Amino acid sequence: MEKKDKEIKSFKDLGLSDELIEACDKLGWKTPLKIQIQAIPPALRGKDVIGIAQTGSGKTAAFALPILHALLEDPNPFFACVLSPTRELAIQISEQFEALGSVIKVKCAVLVGGLPMAKQSITLATKPHIIVGTPGRVLDHLKNTKGFSLGKLKYLVLDEADRLLNEDFEESLNEILGMIPRKRRTFLFSATMTKKVEKLQRVCLRNPVKIEASTKYSTANTLKQQYRFVPAKHKDCYLAYILTEMVGSTSMVFTRTCDATQLLAFFLRNLGLKAIPINGHMNQLKRLGALNKFKSGDCNILLCTDVVSRGLDIPEVDMVINYDIPSNPKDYIHRVGRTARAGRSGVAISLVNQHELEWHIQIENLIGKKLLEYPAQEQKVLLLEKRVSEAKRLAVTKMKATGGKNKLWSDSEEEEDAETYFGLNRRPSKRFRRK
C-alpha cells in the first residue's frame, strides 16, 4: 500500500534508490517539496506525468530523480532527452542532473545555440546518458552529427512546455517527436497550463497522471508583491530610489527591450551600483558571463529581458523589479518567480506608468489578488532627480559611443566568466543547496 502525501517526510519515503537519497542528502535536501511528493511516485511506476507547479517549486528534481532512478537499472547512452526554451535553463537543468547523479557518475551533454557545434559533437561521441538542449540545436545534431540518434530514447521531458509550443519552437519540436520512439515515458512540466499544452498532452502522452501543485496562475505565498504608480518621466528616479534603499540586496530588473537593459546598466553604474545587463542581443558567452558575475556576487543587480524569466534558479534573489511591466500577464508570473523560490521569501515591485494601467489590472485579475502599494514619499524620491538626470545623460552618451554594446568588462573577462559558468571549475552541488 502506497504512502499518502502527508506521510511522505523524506526522499527515502518516495521509493528512490539509496544512491539518490545520498545525493539529495549531500545537497542538503532533507524534505521533498510538494511537486516532488506528487510527481515522483507515479513516475517511478512508469507513468507519463504532467506537472503544473509554481516556478521555483522544485520541478527539475521532480523529473530528474525518477530518470536517474531508472538509469541505475538500465545505464544506456542517450537514455533521456530534456528540451527547454532557453539556453541558460538548459545549462541549469544539466547542472542539476550532474549534481544529483554525481554518485552514479551520470554523463550529460548540453546542446544549445550560440556555442560551437563541433565541441558538442565531441561530447556526443562520449555517449552521454542525458541530453539537455533547446529544440533547434538538438534537431541540428540529429540531422547533421554522425552517430547521434535518439532512436533508443527512454525518457522525454518538455520543461516550460507552454513556451516550447510557441511559433519559435513548434516546428523543431514536431520534427524531434517524429524522430524518437513512440514507446517512451514523457514528462511535461510547466508553471501554466495553456490550450497548446493541453493539445500537446493529447498528442505525445499516454494515460498521463496530472499533477497540479499550484492553482492555475499563482505566485508563491512567501512573495511580497507591490506596485507603484509613477509618471513615466520619474520612473528612473523610483528605480534608483528602490535600489539604493535596498542596497546590498540581490535584484533582477526586467525591461521590455534589449537596449533598455544596456542603457539602465550604464545608468545605474554611473550611480555607483553594481549592475550588469543580459539580453538576447548578446552572444552566448557574454550571456553566460553576465549570469556568472551575478551568481558569484560580483554584481548584485541584473538588468534583463524575458530571456531569463523562465525556470532559472538563481540563489538568493531578494527582489524582482518590473521596470517595464509585461504586456502579457502570464509573463509576470514567470518574472516574479525568480525570487521567493523553494520556500524562501522575496519581494516583487512593479513600476506602473500612465500608459501601463490596463496591463497592471490584467495582472491582478490573472493572479486573483490586489497588489500592495509600495510606500515611498514622492518628495523624498525626487531629491534624486538631479543626480539621476546626470547619470542618465552620461549613460545615453556612452550608449551612442559604444553602439549600444556592453563594454562594462573586456571580452576576455566575459569569456573567462562564461567558461567558469559553463563547466570549468563548476561545483553544481553548491548551487542547488537548499537553505
Side-chain angles (χ1 to χ4, degrees):
M1 185 175 177
E2 292 182 29
K3 296 185 179 184
K4 296 180 180 179
D5 290 357
K6 64 181 180 180
E7 296 174 344
I8 295 175
K9 298 181 179 179
S10 69
F11 285 94
K12 185 176 181 178
D13 293 337
L14 292 172
L16 293 167
S17 67
D18 291 340
E19 292 90 341
L20 294 177
I21 293 168
E22 179 186 344
C24 291
D25 189 58
K26 284 185 176 180
L27 296 176
W29 296 2
K30 303 299 182 185
T31 307
L33 300 173
K34 185 177 180 180
I35 186 64
Q36 295 158 4
I37 291 172
Q38 293 183 348
I40 290 175
L44 291 178
R45 297 197 305 271
K47 294 285 189 179
D48 286 1
V49 174
I50 300 171
I52 306 299
Q54 295 167 342
T55 184
S57 61
K59 287 187 281 134
T60 304
F63 62 74
L65 286 168
I67 290 172
L68 291 170
H69 181 91
L71 183 63
L72 276 168
E73 300 175 358
D74 184 17
N76 286 314
F78 308 128
F79 187 80
C81 177
V82 184
L83 297 177
S84 107
T86 70
R87 301 166 182 179
E88 290 78 14
L89 179 55
I91 294 167
Q92 178 182 286
I93 292 169
S94 173
E95 289 177 335
Q96 189 151 11
F97 265 103
E98 290 173 350
L100 290 168
S102 60
V103 176
I104 62 174
K105 295 182 171 56
V106 70
K107 291 192 295 184
C108 296
V110 179
L111 308 181
V112 296
L115 295 170
M117 277 193 70
K119 286 186 177 180
Q120 294 172 359
S121 297
I122 292 170
T123 303
L124 289 174
T126 67
K127 306 294 184 183
H129 305 105
I130 312 292
I131 302 296
V132 188
T134 49
R137 180 52 64 93
V138 171
L139 184 61
D140 284 345
H141 280 287
L142 284 170
K143 289 180 174 180
N144 302 309
T145 299
K146 188 176 180 181
F148 174 51
S149 167
L150 295 177
K152 295 183 178 180
L153 187 75
K154 300 296 184 183
Y155 284 85
L156 174 69
V157 180
L158 303 177
D159 195 22
E160 301 292 341
D162 57 332
R163 177 83 179 276
L164 284 173
L165 292 170
N166 69 23
E167 59 186 18
D168 294 332
F169 304 109
E170 192 168 8
E171 186 176 335
S172 297
L173 182 59
N174 287 337
E175 284 197 63
I176 292 171
L177 290 174
M179 300 170 76
I180 61 177
R182 290 189 176 183
K183 189 177 180 181
R184 63 172 191 273
R185 297 275 69 82
T186 303
F187 299 154
L188 186 155
F189 282 81
S190 181
T192 54
M193 175 61 85
T194 65
K195 289 182 179 179
K196 285 188 174 182
V197 173
E198 290 177 349
K199 180 181 177 181
L200 180 65
Q201 79 173 67
R202 293 194 296 270
V203 172
C204 70
L205 282 80
R206 297 183 178 184
N207 299 319
V209 174
K210 189 172 181 180
I211 308 298
E212 292 198 55
S214 65
T215 54
K216 190 174 182 182
Y217 301 112
S218 64
T219 51
N221 294 330
T222 54
L223 175 66
K224 183 179 182 180
Q225 300 177 77
Q226 299 176 306
Y227 75 95
R228 181 74 186 200
F229 289 131
V230 300
K233 64 180 180 179
H234 292 153
K235 189 180 275 192
D236 294 326
C237 270
Y238 274 90
L239 176 65
Y241 175 82
I242 293 169
L243 289 172
T244 51
E245 283 289 297
M246 298 285 286
V247 65
S249 297
T250 306
S251 304
M252 296 178 71
V253 180
F254 282 93
T255 70
R256 196 166 293 121
T257 68
C258 296
D259 285 347
T261 66
Q262 303 281 11
L263 181 62
L264 288 175
F266 288 138
F267 160 64
L268 293 174
R269 289 182 71 82
N270 288 336
L271 294 174
L273 299 171
K274 294 181 178 179
I276 190 168
I278 182 171
N279 60 63
H281 288 173
M282 297 163 64
N283 68 42
Q284 192 60 34
L285 287 178
K286 288 182 182 292
R287 281 161 61 172
L288 294 176
L291 269 181
N292 198 49
K293 284 188 178 292
F294 184 62
K295 287 187 173 186
S296 67
D298 287 350
C299 295
N300 66 319
I301 301 169
L302 187 67
L303 283 302
C304 43
T305 58
D306 284 313
V307 73
V308 293
S309 69
R310 293 286 186 136
L312 286 185
D313 184 20
I314 303 174
E316 304 301 322
V317 174
D318 303 307
M319 178 168 60
V320 167
I321 299 176
N322 286 303
Y323 177 84
D324 296 316
I325 66 170
S327 56
N328 183 343
K330 293 175 187 175
D331 289 335
Y332 172 86
I333 294 173
H334 293 288
R335 287 184 181 187
V336 302
R338 299 313 98 215
T339 186
R341 297 176 71 82
R344 294 188 290 263
S345 61
V347 177
I349 303 171
S350 296
L351 300 177
V352 185
N353 67 32
Q354 63 270 31
H355 311 296
E356 300 168 331
L357 179 59
E358 183 179 345
W359 295 337
H360 170 73
I361 293 171
Q362 289 174 356
I363 289 168
E364 289 188 328
N365 289 339
L366 183 71
I367 64 176
K369 65 173 70 173
K370 294 287 184 181
L371 304 188
L372 302 171
E373 185 174 10
Y374 175 77
Q377 296 179 2
E378 185 172 298
Q379 198 172 17
K380 187 176 180 181
V381 174
L382 295 184
L383 290 175
L384 295 170
E385 189 170 20
K386 185 175 180 181
R387 196 170 157 221
V388 163
S389 295
E390 178 62 12
K392 193 67 176 283
R393 184 188 68 79
L394 293 172
V396 170
T397 301
K398 192 163 186 178
M399 278 283 285
K400 290 178 180 178
T402 61
K405 294 181 179 178
N406 174 31
K407 290 297 179 184
L408 300 178
W409 288 274
S410 68
D411 289 347
S412 61
E413 283 182 296
E414 288 172 332
E415 289 186 12
E416 182 180 346
D417 284 318
E419 288 179 349
T420 301
Y421 179 87
F422 194 65
L424 301 179
N425 304 318
R426 190 177 70 199
R427 290 182 290 176
S429 59
K430 186 176 181 181
R431 184 163 296 150
F432 296 100
R433 193 173 299 280
R434 197 178 288 163
K435 298 296 181 185

